[in-house]
Amino acid sequence: QVQLEESGGGSVQVGGSLRLSCASSGYSSSAKCFGWFRQAPGKEREGIAAIYTGQFGNTHAYYAGSMKARFTISQDYAKNTVYLQMNSLEPEDTAMYYCAAESPRCAGLVAHEYNYWGQGTQVTVSS
């Protein structure tokens, strides 16, 4: 059973930055997939980025659409923590941000393919 806990959300002004963290535990597989998603009120959950680490330590990051321009996913394997660095934030980035784990297609960033989810952390960007 994988457990995920997000942190780092908050309120920020337009143009600001935030770094979200996702601490994980119980991930037994040597190959790991983590994803970041967000969901704004009245909208569907949207994939942002995913990171896959193979059993030999090889790591690949994947991004949805234009997310790569302002968002960066990374991880500290020793700390079992995945990060999402968000820069140049805009009011449209206001949403609940979720960390997810274990998907058969890490690069696909398809929400329903992930087996485990955190509770989310709120990000609010004000002008």
Side-chain angles (χ1 to χ4, degrees), residues 2-116:
V2 178
Q3 294 185 325
L4 305 170
E5 183 173 2
E6 304 96 334
S7 61
S11 297
V12 64
Q13 292 189 328
V14 170
S17 299
L18 283 173
R19 188 177 79 158
L20 306 183
S21 300
C22 173
S24 69
S25 61
Y27 208 137
S28 60
S29 173
S30 57
K32 297 177 173 60
C33 170
F34 294 94
W36 281 102
F37 293 78
R38 68 184 183 184
Q39 189 166 19
K43 295 187 177 181
E44 293 186 356
R45 193 161 294 191
E46 176 184 30
I48 301 171
I51 190 163
Y52 172 81
T53 301
Q55 60 179 334
F56 300 111
N58 51 308
T59 300
H60 301 278
Y62 309 96
Y63 295 88
S66 62
M67 298 292 185
K68 189 175 184 179
R70 298 184 295 118
F71 294 74
T72 302
I73 190 170
S74 63
Q75 69 175 1
D76 185 328
Y77 201 83
K79 294 183 178 179
N80 295 319
T81 301
V82 177
Y83 304 98
L84 183 68
Q85 178 67 41
M86 307 187 296
N87 299 324
S88 302
L89 286 165
E90 304 166 351
E92 294 73 25
D93 296 316
T94 295
M96 185 70 79
Y97 284 69
Y98 297 92
C99 177
E102 195 176 278
S103 167
R105 298 190 304 134
C106 202
L109 277 171
V110 178
H112 68 77
E113 294 183 350
Y114 281 78
N115 292 326
Y116 301 99

